[in-house]
Amino acid sequence: MILEYLEDAHPDPALYPASPAERARCRLFDVFGDEVMLAPLRFLMHRTEPKPDDLERWNAKEAKAREAEAALAGHFAEIDRALQGRDYLCDAFSAADIAVFMPVFWTRRLGGPSLKGHEALAGWYGRLGARPAFAKVVSEILAADAALSAPVEGAFGD
């Protein structure tokens, strides 16, 4: 919704493709990033908390996190397939790339599956991370995260 508002308020540069079919494809990726990837990603979020004295509770959360990692690895494979032969999810940089980048970033930050074996996804992630706006936001998130969160074993393990 926010990205659609930005598209309407500031149409240049476009965040959505011109053709109706590609706009719909782009919106599907938006939902994929915001809804589909977030569902398993939430099971990794406990990893930024200090380990509690009750290790049984932590281990139960980790068991759910490992199940979620399998789902996220499947999502990484799906994104990698969608990026085959493309620089961006909808040919040109779009709202789809913005929506999917953050769950991939957080999956990596929270010690989730690796990008190894997903060359198209890894290249895309690198291209987006090098864009000034993305680099700035990631830097700000990591600084705040370092000040507020416990370190996560295996974060950015690629």
Side-chain angles (χ1 to χ4, degrees), residues 20-98:
E22 280 301 302
R23 286 177 79 84
R25 184 172 186 273
C26 187
R27 286 187 179 106
L28 286 174
F29 278 115
D30 192 358
V31 170
F32 180 78
D34 289 346
E35 304 291 333
V36 176
M37 287 191 74
L38 186 59
L41 179 57
R42 66 190 166 97
F43 290 107
L44 278 61
M45 293 180 182
H46 73 280
R47 292 176 174 170
T48 61
E49 302 168 5
K51 278 192 181 177
D53 292 333
D54 180 2
L55 285 182
E56 188 174 320
R57 184 173 174 205
W58 179 268
N59 291 336
K61 287 182 176 183
E62 273 301 299
K64 287 185 179 187
R66 283 189 294 280
E67 291 174 19
E69 286 176 352
L72 289 163
H75 295 326
F76 279 9
E78 188 174 343
I79 299 165
D80 189 69
R81 282 189 299 275
L83 285 163
Q84 295 299 314
R86 298 173 178 248
D87 286 337
Y88 299 102
L89 289 166
C90 294
D91 291 327
F93 176 75
S94 70
D97 300 296
I98 297 167

Side-chain angles (χ1 to χ4, degrees), residues 119-148:
E119 286 75 22
L121 173 58
W124 168 86
Y125 185 81
R127 276 189 299 286
L128 265 59
R131 293 175 70 96
F134 283 72
K136 180 181 182 214
V137 168
V138 165
S139 175
E140 291 170 353
I141 289 170
L142 291 176
D145 198 27
L148 300 171

